[in-house]
Amino acid sequence: CFFIGAAKLVVVIAIFLLTFYVISQVFEIKMDANLGHIFGNLPVVFSKILVYFLSKATKPPRYKCGISKPCPEKHFAFKMSSGAANVVGPKICVEDSVVMSGVKNNVGRGINMALVNGKTGELLDTKFFDMWGGDVAPLIEFLKTIQDGTIVLMATYDDGATKLNEEARKLISELGSTSITNLGFRDNWVFCGGKGIKTKSPFEQHIKNNKDTNKYEGWPEVVEMEGCIPQKQD
């Protein structure tokens, strides 16, 4: 019985030392051959363990594109923001992939647009159209080529309205926009709609350029929006 008890004690001690060694590697605590030093460090070990697991327990989950809640099945997550004055370009993220941004160097003054396949969520194209110094004709031509079932995301940068005419506004309104008819000089606007949509889109934010309320000199504050786009069904 004595030998059995001693063997069990040895096993327990071995397991304890092995466990402590693993913990010391995880939490970067140096192992010392002196057991007194090891036991002296136990409060530090357990405090670090507690902090580690508390941080894991309290860290909020991250969803696609950094949106505030997960999307249901058969929906695509998106998050977007307009430009900030004429300094920082807009940003569009779809299904955890940033498709347009200043970092990607594919945004510009005017209306920035990303086209996404409504069935697969695949990025089809990105374009920007200068509505201050450019021509509205290329925008109109591009809008006419969009196929039914395509998700269309738009964001302004600097000025997205000066060159807009009635035809361009009508084509954008047919994608589900209600604010496009009132979009004015240096307004900030983000919109997500679709070709062939039967109703007005719920995904639209618009802030008017107003010298009394502008956050930046000559421009309103950045407008942001996030949501879940229903997948197109056959």
Side-chain angles (χ1 to χ4, degrees):
C1 291
F2 173 79
F3 290 108
I4 294 174
K8 287 183 178 179
L9 179 61
V10 170
V11 171
V12 170
I13 293 174
I15 292 173
F16 171 80
L17 292 176
L18 179 60
T19 302
F20 182 77
Y21 176 76
V22 172
I23 293 173
S24 71
Q25 297 302 306
V26 173
F27 295 97
E28 300 178 354
I29 300 170
K30 292 184 178 180
M31 197 77 169
D32 195 295
N34 188 299
L35 285 179
H37 183 70
I38 292 174
F39 284 108
N41 275 336
L42 281 179
V44 177
V45 174
F46 291 126
S47 66
K48 289 198 175 188
I49 293 173
L50 181 61
V51 169
Y52 175 80
F53 284 108
L54 283 176
S55 67
K56 291 295 183 182
T58 58
K59 186 177 180 180
R62 184 193 178 280
Y63 305 116
K64 291 179 179 179
C65 290
I67 64 176
S68 57
K69 59 182 180 180
C71 289
E73 288 187 25
K74 297 183 179 180
H75 284 70
F76 302 122
F78 80 93
K79 188 172 185 177
M80 57 195 303
S81 61
S82 67
N86 61 346
V87 180
V88 180
K91 183 177 181 180
I92 300 176
C93 175
V94 180
E95 280 294 278
D96 225 19
S97 176
V98 176
V99 297
M100 296 190 78
S101 71
V103 173
K104 293 181 73 69
N105 198 32
N106 64 346
V107 297
R109 180 174 66 182
I111 293 180
N112 294 259
M113 193 182 317
L115 304 184
V116 174
N117 187 304
K119 291 184 178 180
T120 66
E122 175 190 5
L123 178 67
L124 300 176
D125 202 357
T126 61
K127 298 280 187 184
F128 62 87
F129 300 90
D130 187 349
M131 292 292 98
W132 168 253
D135 189 342
V136 72
L139 171 61
I140 292 172
E141 292 173 10
F142 186 73
L143 289 169
K144 288 180 177 179
T145 65
I146 300 174
Q147 301 296 309
D148 279 356
T150 301
I151 298 167
V152 184
L153 302 102
M154 299 184 182
T156 55
Y157 177 30
D158 189 351
D159 172 45
T162 297
K163 292 294 180 68
L164 283 178
N165 59 15
E166 185 176 346
E167 183 179 8
R169 293 177 189 270
K170 182 176 183 296
L171 288 169
I172 295 173
S173 69
E174 289 173 355
L175 299 173
S177 171
T178 54
S179 296
I180 191 63
T181 55
N182 300 316
L183 188 67
F185 174 66
R186 288 186 177 177
D187 288 359
N188 273 342
W189 172 68
V190 290
F191 163 71
C192 176
K195 186 62 178 289
I197 191 171
K198 303 301 182 183
T199 59
K200 295 302 180 182
S201 171
F203 303 122
E204 188 168 26
Q205 297 290 334
H206 178 206
I207 298 181
K208 296 293 291 182
N209 169 24
N210 185 324
K211 64 180 181 179
D212 296 325
T213 58
N214 283 347
K215 181 174 182 178
Y216 309 105
E217 185 178 353
W219 287 271
E221 64 181 299
V222 172
V223 59
E224 297 180 317
M225 182 173 65
E226 65 176 49
C228 302
I229 311 165
Q231 181 183 25
K232 186 180 186 303
Q233 304 298 313
D234 292 326

